Amino acid sequence: MTTSTTDDTRRHFFKAAAGAGLAVAGGLASAQNVPFKPNARYPDVSVEILDPSFAKYRIYSSSVEQLGSGMRWAEGPAYFPAGKYLLLSDIPNNRLMKYDETNGSFGVFRDNANFTNGNVRDRQGRLISCEHSVTRRVTRTEFDGSIKVLADSYQGKRLNAPNDIVVKSDDSIWFTDPLFGINGEWEGSRAKPEQATTNVYRIAPDGQIKAVITDIVNPNGLAFSPDEKKLYVVEWKGTPFRSIWSYDVAADGSVSNKTKLIDAGGPGALDGFKVDRDGNLWCGWGSNGALDAKSEDLDGVRVFNPQGKAIGFIRLPERCANLTFGGPKNNRLYMASCHSLYALYVEAHGAV
């Protein structure tokens, strides 16, 4: 396929998707709309420099914006540069949402989304999603709107609850499979797990699936370093606190040398995260639910350098579950946070 043909196909994605029952709608189901007043004074006090090395990433005249609200649990943002839009999940409402950069609209992209959690854009510009309850599978939405199942079982047993997902430059797809989507009725339906462990899987370019990490309790967010030589994975049930583990990645897709890079410490909770071109980890942050945790002091995005040192913090009025870089220059940080979608321009660029 030529480049021009590919671009035309991408531009017609929404038109084709609408024909397949994936039409974009403007109305939002009633949920919690969070009042938000942007900071009028520069620099925005919500963007905190914890270490002098973070100062170069803060834009003095940029402030946090709220782009949309009314969701029940926002997750899994993925940016599509060809169409200048962002998709994200509203899991309890069982739908995918869309923010359109061209006109600022925010609305429903897909209803009955099989309780999708994590989303990612593959190297060809297609949507790949983790349906983390009921269907419990990883799917790809083709340019014509059809949906292809990439994985729904491993060694003859159903997946647990696919959660977060990334695509490597060799077109392999990596995803986490904790239990969250089948632990209750809020984000899908309660079900008994069939896998003996909660794993990180790799789908090879030829479609073969393999469990590459089996010793993490409820793996959550994951991302590669800019050179893809390291894989970072959040362990939700860390000991004693939530953590990010680092692994060396071999050319054949195997991983080794498990090393703790970040320990959330105390009541802090790591969730989804992304890596910038300098190797910094921009992490969704909030309370782990402990009785002594003060959410108002924890909610936002915590930024760590490649050595695991906290260098910056973006305060938000809601816990940030996941985030991604987007915009025409890949320097706009989109933050999916409980009921709302927030954004901030920074002097950092997403690694992918």
Side-chain angles (χ1 to χ4, degrees):
M1 181 180 289
T2 65
T3 301
S4 60
T5 302
T6 301
D7 290 342
D8 288 342
T9 304
R10 290 175 178 174
R11 281 193 292 268
H12 286 85
F13 176 78
F14 272 110
K15 183 176 180 181
L22 310 179
V24 177
L28 295 177
S30 177
Q32 179 71 27
N33 285 285
V34 177
F36 179 77
K37 184 178 181 180
N39 198 306
R41 181 176 290 114
Y42 292 141
D44 190 338
V45 295
S46 300
V47 185
E48 297 183 7
I49 297 173
L50 304 181
D51 182 88
S53 62
F54 185 70
K56 66 180 181 180
Y57 301 112
R58 185 194 70 175
I59 298 176
Y60 181 90
S61 55
S62 172
S63 60
V64 175
E65 307 167 80
Q66 186 190 63
L67 306 179
S69 195
M71 295 174 283
R72 288 196 165 92
W73 181 246
E75 254 283 9
Y79 183 75
F80 293 80
K84 297 181 180 179
Y85 60 86
L86 179 99
L87 300 180
L88 71 159
S89 301
D90 180 7
I91 305 176
N93 283 327
N94 194 17
R95 61 188 182 176
L96 289 177
M97 309 300 293
K98 177 199 173 189
Y99 171 71
D100 191 331
E101 280 187 337
T102 64
N103 57 22
S105 64
F106 182 67
V108 178
F109 171 70
R110 178 188 294 171
D111 279 315
N112 301 314
N114 295 323
F115 300 97
T116 290
N117 190 328
N119 299 283
V120 70
R121 181 190 76 250
D122 72 6
R123 304 286 167 158
Q124 292 71 43
R126 297 167 296 190
L127 170 66
I128 300 181
S129 300
C130 289
E131 300 175 2
H132 90 154
S133 191
V134 184
T135 50
R136 294 155 61 180
R137 62 188 188 177
V138 176
T139 63
R140 183 175 69 215
T141 301
E142 307 292 355
F143 290 126
D144 64 2
S146 62
I147 295 178
K148 179 177 180 178
V149 178
L150 302 181
D152 59 6
S153 63
Y154 180 64
Q155 296 182 341
K157 298 179 180 179
R158 295 188 70 187
L159 298 175
N160 294 319
N163 183 280
D164 208 351
I165 191 162
V166 291
V167 178
K168 200 166 175 280
S169 61
D170 63 359
D171 288 326
S172 60
I173 299 166
W174 302 58
F175 68 95
T176 55
D177 191 38
L179 299 174
F180 309 136
I182 58 174
N183 275 343
E185 307 293 341
W186 175 240
E187 296 183 6
S189 296
R190 188 185 303 274
K192 184 178 180 179
E194 297 182 19
Q195 298 293 329
T197 51
T198 52
N199 305 327
V200 177
Y201 292 99
R202 176 183 183 266
I203 306 175
D206 64 3
Q208 295 297 310
I209 181 174
K210 181 179 181 180
V212 292
I213 300 172
T214 60
D215 63 346
I216 286 183
V217 181
N218 281 324
N220 197 328
L222 76 170
F224 287 100
S225 61
D227 60 8
E228 298 185 332
K229 293 182 178 180
K230 292 188 179 296
L231 173 68
Y232 305 122
V233 184
V234 169
E235 183 170 24
W236 181 83
K237 197 69 172 180
T239 304
F241 305 118
R242 300 188 186 187
S243 307
I244 291 183
W245 294 95
S246 170
Y247 296 83
D248 293 336
V249 183
D252 64 359
S254 60
V255 301
S256 62
N257 192 27
K258 179 183 179 182
T259 305
K260 183 176 287 191
L261 178 68
I262 297 168
D263 191 317
L270 290 151
D271 207 323
F273 66 101
K274 293 295 184 291
V275 177
D276 67 24
R277 293 176 187 172
D278 291 340
N280 301 304
L281 288 75
W282 299 66
C283 303
W285 198 260
S287 164
N288 65 3
L291 294 178
D292 59 346
K294 294 183 178 180
S295 297
E296 61 272 22
D297 295 333
L298 297 167
D299 290 343
V301 173
R302 202 164 182 88
V303 186
F304 297 85
N305 68 15
Q307 292 73 46
K309 180 181 180 180
I311 60 173
F313 186 53
I314 303 167
R315 291 192 177 276
L316 297 173
E318 307 174 68
R319 171 178 169 163
C320 180
N322 212 331
L323 51 86
T324 195
F325 287 92
K329 298 180 180 179
N330 206 24
N331 67 338
R332 194 179 196 189
L333 187 67
Y334 285 103
M335 299 164 281
S337 307
C338 294
H339 307 288
S340 308
L341 174 65
Y342 297 92
L344 174 70
Y345 284 99
V346 294
E347 284 291 354
H349 302 80
V352 294

